[in-house]
Coordinates of all heavy atoms in Angstrom, one line a residue:
M1 N 18.6 13.6 -54.9 CA 18.4 12.2 -54.7 C 19.8 11.5 -54.9 O 20.3 11.6 -56.0 CB 17.2 11.7 -55.5 CG 16.9 10.3 -55.2 SD 15.3 9.9 -55.7 CE 15.5 9.0 -57.2
E2 N 20.1 10.5 -54.1 CA 21.4 9.7 -54.3 C 21.0 8.6 -55.2 O 20.1 7.8 -54.9 CB 21.9 9.3 -52.9 CG 23.3 8.6 -53.0 CD 23.9 8.3 -51.7 OE1 23.7 9.0 -50.8 OE2 24.4 7.1 -51.6
S3 N 21.9 8.3 -56.2 CA 21.6 7.1 -57.1 C 22.1 5.8 -56.3 O 23.1 5.9 -55.6 CB 22.3 7.4 -58.4 OG 23.8 7.4 -58.2
E4 N 21.4 4.9 -56.6 CA 21.8 3.5 -56.0 C 23.0 3.0 -56.6 O 23.4 3.0 -57.8 CB 20.6 2.6 -56.2 CG 20.7 1.2 -55.4 CD 19.6 0.4 -55.7 OE1 18.7 0.7 -56.5 OE2 19.4 -0.6 -55.0
K5 N 23.8 2.4 -55.8 CA 25.2 1.9 -56.1 C 25.0 0.4 -56.3 O 24.4 -0.3 -55.4 CB 26.2 2.3 -55.2 CG 26.4 3.8 -55.0 CD 27.8 4.2 -55.5 CE 28.0 5.7 -55.2 NZ 27.6 6.7 -56.0
T6 N 25.7 -0.2 -57.2 CA 25.9 -1.7 -57.3 C 26.9 -2.0 -56.1 O 28.0 -1.5 -55.9 CB 26.6 -2.1 -58.7 OG1 25.7 -1.6 -59.6 CG2 26.5 -3.6 -58.7
Q7 N 26.5 -3.1 -55.4 CA 27.2 -3.6 -54.3 C 27.3 -5.2 -54.4 O 26.5 -5.8 -55.0 CB 26.6 -3.4 -53.0 CG 26.6 -2.0 -52.6 CD 25.9 -1.7 -51.3 OE1 25.2 -2.4 -50.8 NE2 26.4 -0.6 -50.7
F8 N 28.7 -5.7 -54.1 CA 29.0 -7.1 -54.3 C 29.4 -7.5 -52.8 O 30.3 -6.8 -52.0 CB 30.2 -7.2 -55.2 CG 29.9 -6.8 -56.6 CD1 30.2 -5.5 -56.9 CD2 29.4 -7.6 -57.4 CE1 29.9 -5.1 -58.2 CE2 29.2 -7.3 -58.8 CZ 29.4 -5.8 -59.1
Q9 N 28.8 -8.6 -52.4 CA 29.2 -9.1 -51.1 C 29.4 -10.6 -51.1 O 28.7 -11.5 -51.6 CB 28.0 -8.9 -50.1 CG 28.3 -9.5 -48.7 CD 27.0 -9.4 -47.7 OE1 26.0 -9.1 -48.2 NE2 27.3 -10.0 -46.5
V10 N 30.7 -10.9 -50.7 CA 31.1 -12.4 -50.7 C 30.5 -13.0 -49.4 O 30.6 -12.5 -48.4 CB 32.6 -12.6 -50.7 CG1 32.9 -13.9 -50.5 CG2 33.2 -12.0 -51.9
I11 N 29.6 -14.1 -49.7 CA 29.1 -14.8 -48.5 C 30.0 -16.0 -48.2 O 30.2 -16.9 -49.1 CB 27.7 -15.2 -48.8 CG1 26.7 -14.0 -48.9 CG2 27.1 -16.0 -47.7 CD1 25.4 -14.1 -49.4
E12 N 30.7 -16.0 -47.1 CA 31.5 -17.2 -46.7 C 30.9 -18.4 -46.9 O 29.8 -18.8 -46.4 CB 32.0 -17.0 -45.2 CG 33.0 -17.9 -44.8 CD 33.6 -17.7 -43.5 OE1 33.3 -16.7 -42.9 OE2 34.3 -18.6 -43.0
G13 N 31.6 -19.2 -47.8 CA 31.2 -20.7 -48.0 C 30.0 -20.7 -49.0 O 29.3 -21.7 -49.0
G14 N 29.6 -19.6 -49.6 CA 28.5 -19.5 -50.5 C 28.5 -18.6 -51.5 O 29.7 -18.4 -52.1
P15 N 27.5 -18.0 -52.0 CA 27.4 -17.2 -53.3 C 28.0 -15.8 -53.1 O 28.2 -15.3 -52.2 CB 25.9 -17.1 -53.7 CG 25.3 -17.3 -52.2 CD 26.1 -18.2 -51.5
L16 N 28.0 -15.0 -54.2 CA 28.4 -13.7 -54.3 C 27.0 -13.0 -54.5 O 26.3 -13.3 -55.3 CB 29.2 -13.4 -55.5 CG 29.6 -12.0 -55.8 CD1 30.7 -11.4 -54.7 CD2 30.3 -11.8 -57.2
K17 N 26.7 -12.1 -53.5 CA 25.4 -11.4 -53.6 C 25.7 -10.1 -54.3 O 26.6 -9.3 -54.0 CB 25.0 -11.0 -52.1 CG 23.7 -10.3 -52.1 CD 23.3 -9.9 -50.5 CE 22.1 -9.2 -50.5 NZ 21.7 -8.7 -49.1
V18 N 24.9 -9.8 -55.2 CA 24.9 -8.6 -56.0 C 23.7 -7.8 -55.9 O 22.5 -8.4 -56.1 CB 25.2 -8.8 -57.4 CG1 25.4 -7.5 -58.2 CG2 26.4 -9.8 -57.7
S19 N 23.7 -6.5 -55.5 CA 22.5 -5.6 -55.3 C 22.8 -4.4 -55.9 O 23.9 -4.1 -56.1 CB 22.2 -5.6 -53.7 OG 23.2 -5.0 -53.1
G20 N 21.7 -3.6 -56.2 CA 21.7 -2.4 -57.0 C 21.7 -2.7 -58.4 O 21.4 -3.8 -58.8
P21 N 21.9 -1.7 -59.2 CA 21.5 -1.6 -60.6 C 22.7 -2.5 -61.3 O 23.9 -2.2 -61.1 CB 21.5 -0.2 -61.1 CG 22.4 0.5 -60.1 CD 22.1 -0.2 -58.8
F22 N 22.4 -3.4 -62.1 CA 23.3 -4.2 -62.9 C 22.7 -4.9 -64.0 O 21.4 -5.1 -63.9 CB 24.2 -5.1 -62.1 CG 23.4 -6.1 -61.4 CD1 23.1 -7.4 -61.9 CD2 22.8 -6.0 -60.1 CE1 22.3 -8.4 -61.4 CE2 21.9 -6.8 -59.4 CZ 21.8 -8.2 -60.2
K23 N 23.4 -5.5 -64.9 CA 22.8 -6.3 -65.9 C 23.7 -7.6 -66.0 O 24.9 -7.5 -65.9 CB 22.8 -5.7 -67.3 CG 21.7 -4.5 -67.5 CD 21.8 -4.0 -68.8 CE 21.0 -2.8 -68.9 NZ 21.1 -2.0 -70.1
I24 N 23.1 -8.7 -66.2 CA 23.9 -9.9 -66.5 C 23.5 -10.5 -67.9 O 22.3 -10.5 -68.3 CB 23.7 -11.0 -65.5 CG1 24.2 -10.5 -64.1 CG2 24.4 -12.3 -65.8 CD1 23.8 -11.5 -63.0
S25 N 24.6 -10.7 -68.8 CA 24.2 -11.3 -70.0 C 24.7 -12.7 -70.2 O 25.7 -13.0 -69.7 CB 24.6 -10.3 -71.1 OG 25.9 -10.1 -71.0
G26 N 24.0 -13.5 -70.9 CA 24.6 -14.9 -71.2 C 25.5 -14.9 -72.3 O 25.9 -13.9 -72.9
P27 N 26.0 -16.1 -72.7 CA 27.0 -16.2 -73.7 C 26.6 -15.6 -75.0 O 27.3 -15.3 -75.9 CB 27.2 -17.8 -73.8 CG 26.6 -18.3 -72.5 CD 25.7 -17.4 -72.1
D28 N 25.4 -15.6 -75.4 CA 24.9 -15.0 -76.6 C 24.5 -13.6 -76.5 O 24.1 -13.0 -77.5 CB 23.4 -15.7 -76.9 CG 22.3 -15.5 -76.0 OD1 22.6 -15.0 -74.9 OD2 21.2 -16.0 -76.1
G29 N 24.7 -13.0 -75.3 CA 24.7 -11.6 -75.2 C 23.3 -11.1 -74.7 O 23.1 -9.9 -74.3
A30 N 22.4 -12.1 -74.6 CA 20.9 -11.8 -74.0 C 21.0 -11.5 -72.6 O 21.7 -12.2 -71.9 CB 20.1 -12.9 -74.5
I31 N 20.2 -10.5 -72.2 CA 20.2 -10.1 -70.8 C 19.4 -11.2 -70.1 O 18.2 -11.5 -70.6 CB 19.5 -8.7 -70.6 CG1 20.3 -7.7 -71.3 CG2 19.4 -8.4 -69.1 CD1 21.6 -7.4 -70.8
I32 N 19.9 -11.7 -69.2 CA 19.3 -12.9 -68.3 C 18.9 -12.3 -66.9 O 18.1 -13.0 -66.3 CB 20.1 -14.2 -68.2 CG1 21.6 -13.9 -67.6 CG2 20.1 -14.7 -69.5 CD1 22.2 -15.1 -67.4
S33 N 19.3 -11.1 -66.5 CA 19.0 -10.6 -65.2 C 19.2 -9.2 -65.1 O 20.3 -8.7 -65.6 CB 19.6 -11.4 -64.1 OG 19.3 -10.9 -62.9
R34 N 18.5 -8.4 -64.4 CA 18.7 -7.0 -64.3 C 18.2 -6.5 -63.0 O 18.4 -5.4 -62.6 CB 18.4 -6.1 -65.4 CG 16.7 -6.1 -65.7 CD 16.4 -5.2 -66.7 NE 16.6 -5.8 -68.0 CZ 16.7 -5.0 -69.2 NH1 16.6 -3.7 -69.1 NH2 16.9 -5.6 -70.3
E35 N 17.6 -7.3 -62.3 CA 17.1 -6.9 -60.9 C 17.8 -7.5 -59.8 O 18.2 -8.6 -60.0 CB 15.5 -7.4 -60.8 CG 14.7 -6.6 -61.7 CD 14.4 -5.1 -61.6 OE1 14.4 -4.8 -60.3 OE2 14.2 -4.4 -62.5
G36 N 18.0 -6.8 -58.7 CA 18.8 -7.4 -57.6 C 18.0 -7.5 -56.5 O 16.7 -6.9 -56.4
P37 N 18.3 -8.0 -55.3 CA 19.7 -8.7 -55.3 C 19.6 -10.1 -55.9 O 18.6 -10.8 -55.9 CB 19.9 -8.9 -53.9 CG 18.7 -9.0 -53.2 CD 17.7 -8.0 -54.0
V38 N 20.7 -10.5 -56.4 CA 20.9 -11.9 -56.9 C 22.1 -12.6 -56.4 O 22.9 -11.8 -55.9 CB 21.0 -11.9 -58.4 CG1 19.7 -11.4 -59.2 CG2 22.2 -11.4 -59.0
Y39 N 22.1 -13.8 -56.4 CA 23.1 -14.6 -55.7 C 23.8 -15.4 -56.8 O 23.2 -16.3 -57.5 CB 22.6 -15.5 -54.6 CG 22.1 -14.8 -53.5 CD1 20.7 -14.3 -53.6 CD2 22.7 -14.4 -52.3 CE1 20.1 -13.6 -52.5 CE2 22.3 -13.5 -51.4 CZ 20.9 -13.1 -51.5 OH 20.4 -12.4 -50.5
L40 N 25.2 -15.0 -57.0 CA 25.9 -15.8 -58.0 C 26.7 -17.0 -57.5 O 27.4 -16.7 -56.4 CB 26.8 -14.8 -58.8 CG 26.1 -13.6 -59.5 CD1 27.0 -12.6 -60.1 CD2 25.1 -14.2 -60.5
C41 N 26.7 -18.1 -58.1 CA 27.4 -19.3 -57.7 C 28.9 -19.0 -57.7 O 29.4 -18.6 -58.6 CB 27.1 -20.4 -58.5 SG 27.8 -22.0 -58.1
R42 N 29.6 -19.4 -56.6 CA 31.0 -19.4 -56.5 C 31.6 -20.7 -56.4 O 32.7 -21.1 -56.4 CB 31.5 -18.6 -55.3 CG 31.2 -17.1 -55.5 CD 32.0 -16.2 -54.4 NE 31.8 -16.7 -53.2 CZ 32.9 -16.9 -52.3 NH1 34.1 -16.7 -52.7 NH2 32.6 -17.4 -51.1
C43 N 30.7 -21.8 -56.1 CA 31.3 -23.1 -55.8 C 31.4 -24.0 -57.1 O 32.0 -25.0 -57.1 CB 30.4 -23.8 -54.8 SG 28.8 -24.4 -55.4
G44 N 30.6 -23.7 -58.2 CA 30.7 -24.4 -59.3 C 29.7 -25.5 -59.4 O 29.6 -26.2 -60.5
H45 N 28.9 -25.8 -58.5 CA 28.0 -26.9 -58.4 C 26.5 -26.5 -58.7 O 25.7 -27.4 -58.9 CB 28.0 -27.5 -57.0 CG 29.2 -28.1 -56.7 ND1 29.7 -29.4 -57.2 CD2 30.5 -27.9 -56.1 CE1 30.9 -29.7 -56.9 NE2 31.2 -28.8 -56.1
S46 N 26.2 -25.2 -59.0 CA 24.8 -25.0 -59.2 C 24.4 -25.4 -60.6 O 25.1 -25.5 -61.5 CB 24.8 -23.4 -59.2 OG 23.3 -22.9 -59.7
T47 N 23.1 -25.9 -60.6 CA 22.6 -26.4 -61.9 C 21.8 -25.1 -62.6 O 21.2 -25.4 -63.7 CB 21.5 -27.5 -61.7 OG1 20.6 -27.2 -60.7 CG2 22.3 -28.8 -61.1
D48 N 22.0 -24.0 -61.9 CA 21.2 -22.8 -62.5 C 22.2 -21.6 -62.8 O 22.1 -20.5 -62.5 CB 20.2 -22.3 -61.6 CG 19.4 -21.3 -62.2 OD1 19.1 -21.2 -63.4 OD2 18.7 -20.5 -61.4
K49 N 23.6 -22.0 -63.0 CA 24.6 -21.0 -63.3 C 24.2 -19.9 -64.2 O 23.4 -20.3 -65.2 CB 25.9 -21.7 -63.8 CG 26.5 -22.6 -62.7 CD 27.8 -23.1 -63.4 CE 28.5 -24.3 -62.5 NZ 27.7 -25.5 -62.6
P50 N 24.5 -18.8 -64.0 CA 25.4 -18.3 -63.0 C 24.8 -18.1 -61.5 O 25.5 -17.6 -60.7 CB 25.9 -16.9 -63.6 CG 24.6 -16.5 -64.2 CD 24.0 -17.6 -64.9
F51 N 23.6 -18.5 -61.5 CA 23.0 -18.3 -60.1 C 23.1 -19.4 -59.1 O 23.3 -20.5 -59.5 CB 21.4 -18.0 -60.4 CG 21.2 -16.9 -61.4 CD1 20.8 -17.2 -62.7 CD2 21.5 -15.5 -61.0 CE1 20.5 -16.2 -63.7 CE2 21.2 -14.6 -62.0 CZ 20.7 -14.7 -63.2
C52 N 23.2 -19.0 -58.0 CA 23.3 -20.0 -56.9 C 21.9 -20.7 -56.7 O 20.9 -20.1 -56.7 CB 23.6 -19.4 -55.5 SG 23.6 -20.3 -54.1
D53 N 21.9 -22.0 -56.5 CA 20.7 -22.9 -56.3 C 20.9 -23.5 -55.0 O 19.9 -24.5 -54.6 CB 20.4 -23.8 -57.5 CG 21.6 -24.9 -57.4 OD1 22.5 -24.9 -56.7 OD2 21.3 -25.8 -58.4
G54 N 21.7 -23.2 -54.2 CA 21.9 -23.8 -52.8 C 22.8 -25.0 -52.7 O 22.8 -25.6 -51.8
S55 N 23.2 -25.3 -53.9 CA 24.2 -26.5 -53.9 C 25.4 -26.5 -53.1 O 25.9 -27.5 -52.7 CB 24.5 -27.0 -55.4 OG 23.4 -27.3 -56.2
H56 N 25.8 -25.3 -52.8 CA 27.0 -25.1 -52.1 C 26.8 -25.7 -50.6 O 27.8 -26.2 -50.0 CB 27.4 -23.6 -51.9 CG 26.4 -22.8 -51.3 ND1 25.3 -22.2 -52.1 CD2 26.2 -22.4 -50.1 CE1 24.6 -21.5 -51.1 NE2 25.1 -21.7 -50.0
K57 N 25.7 -25.7 -50.2 CA 25.3 -26.3 -48.9 C 25.7 -27.8 -48.8 O 25.9 -28.3 -47.7 CB 24.0 -26.1 -48.5 CG 23.6 -24.6 -48.4 CD 22.0 -24.5 -48.1 CE 21.6 -23.0 -48.2 NZ 20.2 -22.8 -48.1
R58 N 25.7 -28.6 -49.9 CA 26.1 -29.9 -49.9 C 27.4 -30.1 -50.5 O 28.0 -31.2 -50.6 CB 25.0 -30.8 -50.9 CG 23.6 -30.6 -50.4 CD 22.7 -31.4 -51.4 NE 22.8 -31.1 -52.7 CZ 22.1 -30.1 -53.1 NH1 21.2 -29.4 -52.4 NH2 22.1 -29.8 -54.4
N59 N 28.1 -29.1 -51.0 CA 29.4 -29.2 -51.7 C 30.3 -28.1 -51.0 O 30.5 -27.0 -51.5 CB 29.4 -28.9 -53.1 CG 28.4 -30.0 -53.7 OD1 28.8 -31.1 -53.9 ND2 27.3 -29.7 -54.0
V60 N 30.8 -28.4 -49.8 CA 31.7 -27.3 -49.1 C 32.9 -27.0 -50.0 O 33.5 -28.0 -50.5 CB 32.1 -27.8 -47.8 CG1 32.9 -26.9 -47.0 CG2 30.9 -28.2 -46.9
F61 N 33.2 -25.8 -50.0 CA 34.5 -25.4 -50.7 C 35.3 -24.4 -49.9 O 34.7 -23.8 -49.0 CB 34.1 -24.7 -52.2 CG 33.5 -23.4 -52.0 CD1 34.1 -22.2 -52.2 CD2 32.1 -23.4 -51.8 CE1 33.3 -21.1 -52.2 CE2 31.3 -22.3 -51.8 CZ 32.0 -21.1 -52.0
S62 N 36.5 -24.3 -50.2 CA 37.3 -23.4 -49.5 C 37.4 -22.0 -50.1 O 37.3 -22.0 -51.2 CB 38.7 -24.0 -49.2 OG 39.3 -24.2 -50.4
E63 N 37.6 -21.1 -49.3 CA 37.7 -19.6 -49.9 C 39.1 -19.4 -50.5 O 40.0 -20.0 -50.2 CB 37.5 -18.7 -48.7 CG 36.2 -18.7 -48.1 CD 35.0 -18.2 -49.0 OE1 35.3 -17.4 -49.9 OE2 34.0 -18.6 -48.8
Ligands
FES1 S1 27.5 -20.9 -54.3 FE1 25.5 -21.6 -54.0 S2 25.3 -23.2 -55.5 FE2 27.4 -22.5 -55.9

């Protein structure tokens, strides 16, 4: 059985999609996510960082 690999996909004008096994920890070291796929904010406008909340649709940014 092939083990699942972690994959990262840059979505043009949007978030970074992460799928496969991974862990995200907050500033205090506590795990805040371990199931994929998740979408990580690249635009800086999300109110739910590090996750994308769709704010990039109202705040266009360049790659
Ligand atoms: S990339 Fe979606 S809110 Fe920032």
Side-chain angles (χ1 to χ4, degrees):
M1 183 158 110
E2 185 176 323
S3 63
E4 191 177 6
K5 303 243 191 269
T6 305
Q7 296 185 329
F8 302 87
Q9 177 187 4
V10 173
I11 297 176
E12 186 174 352
L16 179 69
K17 179 182 178 182
V18 185
S19 56
F22 63 91
K23 294 179 183 175
I24 298 173
S25 56
D28 61 356
I31 301 297
I32 55 175
S33 176
R34 63 175 77 202
E35 297 290 327
V38 299
Y39 297 85
L40 301 178
C41 178
R42 294 194 309 129
C43 74
H45 293 284
S46 175
T47 59
D48 190 28
K49 293 181 188 80
F51 305 104
C52 171
D53 69 354
S55 294
H56 61 272
K57 295 174 185 169
R58 296 182 305 277
N59 300 283
V60 176
F61 67 100
S62 58
E63 294 292 330

